[in-house]
Amino acid sequence: MSSMVQPDGAAGGLPERVAAVRRELAEHGPPRSPDGAPDHATVSLPERDCDQVRDLLADEQACTVVEIGLAYGGSALAIGEALLGAGTRAPRHVVIDPFQYTVYDGVGWELLRSAGLDGVAELVTEPSQRFLARLADVGFAADAAFVDGSHHFHNVFVDLHFLGGIVRPGGVVLLDDVWWPSVGAAAAYFETNLGWRPMPGALDGGTTDPASGRPRTRAYRLPAPPPTPDFKEFRPFC
């Protein structure tokens, strides 16, 4: 897969090293802000939400995670921290971001490398809607996914569709910006028709929309075994 940037370092970084890089990013922002790139505070998952993502994935003992959207790397560092802390011998983090070099000038990937995560993480620089299909075709399996890519309904829907076959039954999908109608509507289909269930208490205390009180990020448990509903059983979801 030619668009995948392979790891080029040893997977010997400690969670403490990753945490230090993440803390520096949260307190002082990225080392540079590329011209025209979105503001760090606008697009990045807040630090306390990153802490919750880390803790949830650590509790799940996730060994393989797919992430959509890297940007400045805040959530990716938190995921890397969880993977290293799980104690597995072969943690794997597939990060998909077609805009990492064209918009963000590689800043997020540089931060992952500086934290010692280049032996764990792989960067994919093509649209998730295409790459996830290929992962599914080769039978790639993950324990969890974190989705913060395109916010267009059709793209979120396609991402979640393929992740439903990539993330193992009983695994976890974390969806950011679910408070946006386009993102929330895509998630609603999988809740209503395919048995994805919000995890009670997961990510409690995270960022919420001041106006509606809706959470920014939601965690879903995939059903085990996956359902195979008849098309006649379709339930409206909006």
Side-chain angles (χ1 to χ4, degrees):
M1 299 179 181
S2 60
S3 62
M4 180 176 287
V5 179
Q6 296 292 340
D8 56 7
L14 299 173
E16 293 79 6
R17 179 179 172 187
V18 181
V21 174
R22 185 161 70 87
R23 187 163 53 250
E24 177 73 15
L25 175 64
E27 292 177 357
H28 303 290
R32 64 183 184 280
S33 297
D35 290 341
D39 177 67
H40 168 253
T42 300
V43 301
S44 296
L45 193 67
E47 185 179 18
R48 65 175 179 174
D49 298 74
C50 286
D51 289 343
Q52 292 183 319
V53 168
R54 174 202 61 201
D55 294 345
L56 176 58
L57 294 178
D59 289 344
E60 291 289 317
Q61 296 184 315
C63 299
T64 300
V65 177
V66 175
E67 180 174 13
I68 302 174
L70 175 57
Y72 297 106
S75 58
L77 289 164
I79 292 169
E81 192 178 346
L83 287 169
L84 291 174
T88 179
R89 296 181 61 183
R92 191 171 186 187
H93 185 189
V94 178
V95 187
I96 306 171
D97 189 345
F99 304 108
Q100 179 56 203
Y101 290 108
T102 59
V103 175
Y104 296 100
D105 196 31
V107 171
W109 183 244
E110 288 178 13
L111 288 174
L112 263 64
R113 286 168 55 93
S114 71
L117 287 171
D118 49 342
V120 173
E122 306 155 64
L123 175 62
V124 178
T125 56
E126 71 175 270
S128 55
Q129 295 78 36
R130 292 205 299 260
F131 186 76
L132 289 174
R134 298 215 303 278
L135 281 186
D137 282 346
V138 299
F140 186 88
D143 300 302
F146 180 81
V147 183
D148 187 17
S150 169
H151 288 13
H152 288 99
F153 168 83
H154 52 282
N155 287 333
V156 181
F157 185 93
V158 172
D159 285 343
L160 296 180
H161 164 69
F162 283 115
L163 288 172
I166 290 170
V167 175
R168 61 173 174 78
V172 174
V173 173
L174 307 176
L175 182 58
D176 190 35
D177 289 328
V178 74
W179 55 16
W180 283 94
S182 56
V183 178
Y189 169 81
F190 293 87
E191 285 188 54
T192 305
N193 287 277
L194 292 182
W196 291 29
R197 290 292 174 258
M199 296 172 62
L203 310 179
D204 277 356
T207 303
T208 58
D209 180 7
S212 66
R214 290 182 296 179
R216 170 176 174 151
T217 306
R218 185 172 295 163
Y220 295 92
R221 177 79 68 189
L222 271 60
T228 54
D230 187 276
F231 73 92
K232 296 177 183 178
E233 300 173 5
F234 175 81
R235 299 182 180 89
F237 57 96
C238 287

